Amino acid sequence: MSQLIVGKRYARALFEVAKERGTIRETEEDLIAAVETIRQNEKLRAVLMHRDFSKAAKLNLLKELFSGKVSDIVLNTLLVAVDKGREAILTMLPDEYIRLANEALNRTQAVVYSPFPLSDEEQKAVAEKFGELTGKTVSITNVVQPELLGGIKVRIGDHVYDGSLARKLKELEKTLTQNAM
């Protein structure tokens, strides 16, 4: 079975337990923190992925690192995955969990491309505007792309809203080229 499918199943199971307990947001934060620790610590990742380390050693290491620092349901999810030999899915869990949490909490992620970093006020204004458009609470990730020249481009899921100066100049050039012929 594909690692991606297995990762989604574990994330869904974790989400369902968090939903029952009313801890969707807290569980999301704990899961992200735990997985970021694993991603950023090359030695920890190496131990978890190495076949020569016993399950018991891996489980004890996770308990030592995360007991009292993340919720029991997040820790148990990590432990079950390692116990079943599914260490490779650990770093996949947050993406699917966040997708499920966003759906349940009526929120969405937006990537806002701009030629310069947006201020907090500008990010808030963009989030509010696109919140009205989508009917969801919007979280913004700002990516700087100087080649946009001005304006912004916003990606929410599969939708791209392009209000950049670079796009407008390309459209103008296309119109002028067509009219010149």
Side-chain angles (χ1 to χ4, degrees), residues 29-39 44 66 70 74 78:
E29 291 169 6
D30 286 351
L31 179 62
I32 290 169
V35 171
E36 276 306 305
T37 299
I38 294 168
R39 281 184 180 144
L44 171 59
F66 297 119
V70 299
V74 169
L78 301 176

Side-chain angles (χ1 to χ4, degrees), residues 4-171:
L4 183 60
I5 292 170
V6 173
K8 286 183 176 188
R9 286 186 181 167
Y10 275 77
R12 178 168 291 284
L14 175 61
F15 173 77
E16 292 300 328
V17 173
K19 185 173 151 185
E20 285 175 18
R21 293 185 180 185
T23 61
I24 294 173
R25 283 187 176 101
E26 297 85 353
T27 301
E28 180 180 354
E29 291 169 6
D30 286 351
L31 179 62
I32 290 169
V35 171
E36 276 306 305
T37 299
I38 294 168
R39 281 184 180 144
Q40 292 176 0
N41 189 321
E42 194 174 314
K43 289 179 183 178
L44 171 59
R45 221 175 37 256
V47 168
L48 291 175
M49 299 304 167
H50 205 284
R51 294 179 187 175
D52 289 344
F53 288 96
S54 69
K55 275 186 195 178
K58 293 176 183 182
L59 295 172
N60 287 334
L61 178 61
L62 288 175
K63 287 177 190 173
E64 187 178 313
L65 282 173
F66 297 119
S67 288
K69 295 182 178 101
V70 299
S71 66
D72 290 342
I73 60 174
V74 169
L75 179 57
N76 288 338
T77 300
L78 301 176
L79 294 175
V80 169
V82 170
D83 188 52
K84 299 288 183 185
R86 305 282 192 189
E87 296 88 343
I89 69 155
L90 295 178
T91 57
M92 297 177 193
L93 295 176
D95 290 340
E96 180 65 9
Y97 185 93
I98 290 168
R99 189 191 68 74
L100 294 166
N102 284 347
E103 195 175 290
L105 299 172
N106 197 34
R107 61 183 195 193
T108 190
Q109 302 288 119
V111 180
V112 179
Y113 302 93
S114 61
F116 51 84
L118 297 178
S119 69
D120 290 341
E121 296 86 30
E122 290 168 326
Q123 287 187 37
K124 184 179 177 186
V126 170
E128 287 175 4
K129 184 67 176 173
F130 281 91
E132 291 171 11
L133 183 67
T134 62
K136 297 182 177 190
T137 302
V138 178
S139 298
I140 299 288
T141 302
N142 185 208
V143 176
V144 176
Q145 287 187 334
E147 63 272 15
L148 293 178
L149 304 175
I152 61 171
K153 184 167 63 171
V154 179
R155 184 178 53 79
I156 300 175
D158 293 337
H159 300 286
V160 176
Y161 306 90
D162 192 346
S164 67
L165 183 56
R167 181 192 56 83
K168 291 176 183 175
L169 288 172
K170 284 181 186 176
E171 287 177 1

